[in-house]
Amino acid sequence: MAAYLEYGIEGRTAIVTGAGTGIGAACAIELAKAGARVALLGRRTAPLQEILEQCDKYTSGSLALPVDVADEDAVNKAVKQVHEKFGRIDILVNNAGFDFDYKPGEIPFEHYYDTDKESYMRFFEVHAFGHFAMAQACTKYMVPAKFGRIVNVTSVLGVTGDYGAAAYTASKAAANLQTKSLARKYGKDNITVNSISPGMVNTPMKKNSPPEEFEAVAGMTPLGRVAEPIDIARVVMFFAQENLFVTGQNLIPDGGGTM
């Protein structure tokens, strides 16, 4: 696609986690448009297959694999399978994530006293360890190739904090700081590691949010709206490009809300 012609993504292999819906789906499709062969990872097969069909309109040979990124063995198996199929792994988009299953109109802090140790640690297993496990598995192939682009999708709440969703917020903050750690480790191997902390995005995760929440966020945002998945995917594409002299950085695409 002409918009990404100079990004050097054509012919590369990209892995996107949480690729079945929302931001992950948008990233996978944009990477396919740029000519990458895309491996879509996620917990549910049906949504992955739908996005795979869309990717196949722009590139050939993409792959969909059901994987829970908190499962280290499953991650290693999937990444190995991707490398065996494509012979290389160039780009990793760590996007898999989740939040409490809020009921329509429910306020996030209502879950504060319902958060036990198991549910608290689950956020860290997915948002922090999931990023680590995927990076660990992919860099085994990136390091010998002396090239890699890792983009971690976190949340603005990992920067600003939110007392109601403490476990969610803390896990996203951990992912942001872990990004810097990995960037320091792999810079010498021409592997960049950056993170993106989106504000509110119109994804299925926000399906039960009342219209008033969207209106309130839009009203506090200089650009006057809530982000769409494609807005975040375009930032991911910037960090995935070949000629990039940026690493260990966190960008907040929230329309200026935290400016």
Side-chain angles (χ1 to χ4, degrees):
M1 190 175 181
Y4 301 123
L5 192 60
E6 296 182 358
Y7 276 20
I9 292 174
E10 185 174 4
R12 295 198 179 277
T13 297
I15 296 178
V16 181
T17 69
T21 60
I23 295 170
C27 290
I29 293 169
E30 291 303 290
L31 285 162
K33 287 180 179 179
R37 297 167 298 184
V38 188
L40 295 83
L41 274 58
R43 288 184 295 170
R44 295 176 296 146
T45 302
L48 292 177
Q49 287 299 135
E50 293 179 12
I51 304 305
L52 182 65
E53 291 175 7
Q54 295 189 50
C55 290
D56 283 343
K57 295 177 183 177
Y58 305 103
T59 189
S60 59
S62 292
L63 181 68
L65 297 170
V67 176
D68 180 348
V69 296
D71 184 336
E72 187 175 15
D73 290 339
V75 164
N76 289 329
K77 181 179 178 181
V79 171
K80 182 180 179 181
Q81 187 173 342
V82 172
H83 188 265
E84 287 176 347
K85 179 177 177 61
F86 298 121
R88 60 192 297 168
I89 295 174
D90 304 292
I91 300 165
L92 167 63
V93 181
N94 268 322
N95 169 74
F98 76 105
D99 200 351
F100 286 111
D101 188 15
Y102 297 112
K103 298 180 176 63
E106 190 175 26
I107 302 172
F109 64 69
E110 292 176 355
H111 278 284
Y112 180 79
Y113 287 108
D114 297 330
T115 306
D116 57 18
K117 182 177 180 180
E118 183 178 358
S119 59
Y120 186 97
M121 295 308 298
R122 177 62 181 169
F123 282 100
F124 278 82
E125 287 176 354
V126 174
H127 297 154
F129 179 74
H131 284 194
F132 177 80
M134 287 297 306
Q136 193 177 55
C138 289
T139 51
K140 291 178 182 177
Y141 303 105
M142 292 176 173
V143 168
K146 292 297 179 182
F147 182 87
R149 297 289 177 262
I150 299 175
V151 189
N152 298 322
V153 180
T154 65
S155 169
V156 69
L157 295 182
V159 178
T160 63
D162 179 88
Y163 72 91
Y168 179 90
T169 297
S171 66
K172 293 294 189 176
N176 281 337
L177 193 57
Q178 183 173 251
T179 295
K180 295 181 180 295
S181 175
L182 296 178
R184 290 183 182 278
K185 176 174 177 56
Y186 292 113
K188 66 182 184 300
D189 299 305
N190 191 31
I191 299 169
T192 64
V193 189
N194 293 287
S195 58
I196 296 171
S197 295
M200 188 175 184
V201 185
N202 184 20
T203 68
M205 192 181 292
K206 304 297 292 184
K207 66 181 184 298
N208 288 329
S209 296
E212 293 79 12
E213 183 179 351
F214 282 84
E215 292 168 5
V217 172
M220 295 184 293
T221 302
L223 293 185
R225 66 178 176 86
V226 168
E228 296 296 329
I230 185 62
D231 294 314
I232 311 306
R234 287 171 179 147
V235 181
V236 169
M237 294 297 288
F238 169 80
F239 280 129
Q241 66 180 294
E242 180 179 18
N243 296 315
L244 185 69
F245 193 62
V246 181
T247 195
Q249 300 302 305
N250 181 56
L251 183 60
I252 304 175
D254 67 346
T258 55
M259 181 168 47

